[in-house]
Amino acid sequence: MPRALITGVTGQDGLYLAELLLGKGYEVFGLVRGQNNPKRELVEQQVPGVQIVTGDLTDLSSLMRAMTTAAPDEVYNLGAISFVAYSWENARLTSEVTGLGVLNMLEATRLYSGDDLSRVRFYQASSSEMFGKVQQVPQSEATLLWPRSPYGVAKVYGHYMTINYRESYGMHASSGILFNHESPRRGPEFVTRKISRAVARISLGLQDSISLGNLDAKRDWGFAGDYVDAMWRMLQAPAGDDYVVATGETHSIREYLDIAFARVGIDDWSDLVVVDPRFFRPAEVDLLIGDATKARTELGWEPQVSFPELVTMMVDADLDEQRALAGR
Ligand code: NAP
Ligand code: F7E
């Protein structure tokens, strides 16, 4: 039975990846940080087969203990401070967790592996946010990185450190440059979930309007369940490498709003959305669209959920959740 260690198991991707790996017969260990972390219960309820180990990406010795307990064949480093807007307010903390945390996890993997440095396969959760002020459209593995946020800068550090460990030590280390991926498990601070939840609440009479920032930003949005499959495929490849994972379509926040409100029978949302400068960012990533040709051809990966299906799935899940909460 193969064994996997997932950092960030309490997050959106961690939950989907744990489900995927358990379904494939893996023994799955999930790293949970902090004392009495409330999300531990979420993992235990939603993915009961996961074995919890405690540790923090900023604490190398805790990661080495986690490696010894899990004795993994595969490490998926998904843990990060992942909210871009927050990263300006907490730039140093973001650098320590999202950037240096990668080095700690690589180092824990290297030290655990001993003489056989290709023994443990390593996945790093890199991000399209690294492309920032895009230098090419669409963006591929060869596109120059130009991050626009402290989060993006930290991800660039982790990305190059992963490549460096592959090249320096011959580790099977892969970096997935994943474009935005969403789901009903997405944190409510991210724009897609913020909208799907608000649309559900507005349609049920629980909320009057929604305040948003830049409605003209464009993202290449896919479904998180499809993207964790790409992570797994990377670690089954004969050698570590870097791959862009994206749908190849881009949509604006306005298009997301159109589909989300239409799902609850509202065609004109202009009076229900308030543009609030508090949600503007010091520097914006205006247009992300990925070229996932390499993942398609070398890994056989294909996204399964379309943009309208994704929006509909999220609104429907929030309608169910809000109805259940209101009925309590
Ligand atoms: P998420 O829901 O925000 O999950 C982040 C995870 O990191 C949580 O489990 C969190 O634990 C954990 N974490 C935070 N600080 C930590 C620390 N000091 N030590 C250990 N764990 C810590 O993020 P996601 O959407 O699942 O994304 C997974 C990864 O992919 C992240 O690295 C993200 O940056 C990257 N990524 C995401 C996207 C996307 O569109 N979703 C795209 C590209 C890359 P707590 O629950 O305890 O806070
Ligand atoms: O913003 C605009 C905002 O916070 C998307 C993370 O998973 O994907 C995610 O980062 C866009 C931005 O995601 C609001 O200005 C408008 O242009 O949902 P988001 P993100 O910043 O793209 C990347 C790939 C990651 O790696 C990250 O970890 O939406 N926007 N109004 C808003 N965004 C938010 N959050 N809230 C608003 O009210």
Side-chain angles (χ1 to χ4, degrees):
M1 196 187 250
R3 299 163 73 96
L5 173 64
I6 303 173
T7 73
V9 75
T10 57
Q12 170 188 257
D13 291 7
L15 293 168
Y16 281 108
L17 180 65
E19 275 173 357
L20 179 89
L21 297 179
L22 287 168
K24 290 183 183 294
Y26 279 63
E27 196 162 345
V28 178
F29 295 81
L31 188 89
V32 175
R33 70 177 168 132
Q35 185 181 332
N36 194 23
N37 187 328
K39 295 213 191 133
R40 179 184 181 132
E41 209 177 312
L42 183 85
V43 178
E44 287 166 346
Q45 279 171 359
Q46 294 198 8
V47 205
V50 173
Q51 300 175 54
I52 304 290
V53 289
T54 53
D56 193 296
L57 284 168
T58 60
D59 181 343
L60 176 59
S61 59
S62 76
L63 301 178
M64 289 178 64
R65 264 202 308 279
M67 288 295 292
T68 306
T69 306
D73 304 294
E74 297 174 6
V75 170
Y76 294 87
N77 186 37
L78 311 187
I81 289 179
S82 78
F83 187 37
V84 174
Y86 177 87
S87 78
W88 274 281
E89 291 155 20
N90 299 273
R92 189 189 168 108
L93 182 63
T94 303
S95 304
E96 284 169 1
V97 176
T98 304
L100 282 172
V102 184
L103 173 61
N104 285 340
M105 203 59 234
L106 282 163
E107 195 55 8
T109 304
R110 184 182 74 84
L111 292 168
Y112 169 78
S113 300
D115 290 339
D116 184 4
L117 284 165
S118 61
R119 177 155 76 107
V120 182
R121 298 183 171 199
F122 186 94
Y123 173 83
Q124 168 55 19
S126 287
S127 166
S128 55
E129 189 69 14
M130 301 190 306
F131 294 123
K133 188 176 174 189
V134 297
Q135 300 298 298
Q136 198 181 350
V137 179
Q139 297 89 45
S140 75
E141 296 80 6
T143 303
L144 181 70
L145 304 178
W146 197 300
R148 293 270 277 176
S149 61
Y151 168 82
V153 173
K155 280 289 179 189
V156 170
Y157 173 85
H159 178 67
Y160 282 124
M161 200 50 92
T162 303
I163 294 170
N164 185 258
Y165 267 58
R166 182 169 75 220
E167 294 179 352
S168 302
Y169 302 116
M171 280 171 61
H172 190 298
S174 289
S175 178
I177 308 173
L178 270 54
F179 281 60
N180 295 56
H181 45 280
E182 319 291 316
S183 74
R185 285 174 169 157
R186 188 58 140 152
E189 66 273 37
F190 298 95
V191 76
T192 53
R193 183 78 197 288
K194 183 174 170 182
I195 295 172
S196 63
R197 182 181 268 192
V199 165
R201 289 176 57 80
I202 289 169
S203 82
L204 296 171
L206 300 169
Q207 184 173 328
D208 295 331
S209 63
I210 175 172
S211 297
L212 295 170
N214 177 12
L215 304 187
D216 296 315
K218 289 184 149 186
R219 289 289 183 278
D220 180 332
W221 277 300
F223 170 53
D226 290 343
Y227 285 45
V228 297
D229 173 55
M231 298 175 189
W232 175 77
R233 286 171 187 260
M234 283 177 219
L235 296 207
Q236 311 319 305
D241 207 339
D242 309 318
Y243 299 90
V244 160
V245 178
T247 69
E249 280 182 29
T250 193
H251 299 276
S252 67
I253 313 279
R254 290 178 195 280
E255 287 173 79
Y256 189 99
L257 285 163
D258 285 341
I259 299 173
F261 274 110
R263 183 67 179 167
V264 297
I266 298 172
D267 291 329
D268 179 5
W269 46 260
S270 51
D271 290 340
L272 302 172
V273 174
V274 179
V275 173
D276 184 339
R278 276 187 309 135
F279 296 109
F280 291 158
R281 296 181 177 181
E284 182 60 281
V285 172
D286 291 319
L287 171 63
L288 286 178
I289 176 165
D291 175 359
T293 305
K294 185 175 171 186
R296 285 172 196 265
T297 53
E298 293 186 14
L299 303 176
W301 178 81
E302 286 287 340
Q304 304 297 320
V305 177
S306 70
F307 177 65
E309 287 168 346
L310 174 66
V311 183
T312 304
M313 177 203 300
M314 292 181 70
V315 172
D316 288 355
D318 274 315
L319 280 167
D320 288 346
E321 185 176 293
Q322 291 301 319
R323 283 196 191 105
L325 287 170
R328 269 187 202 157

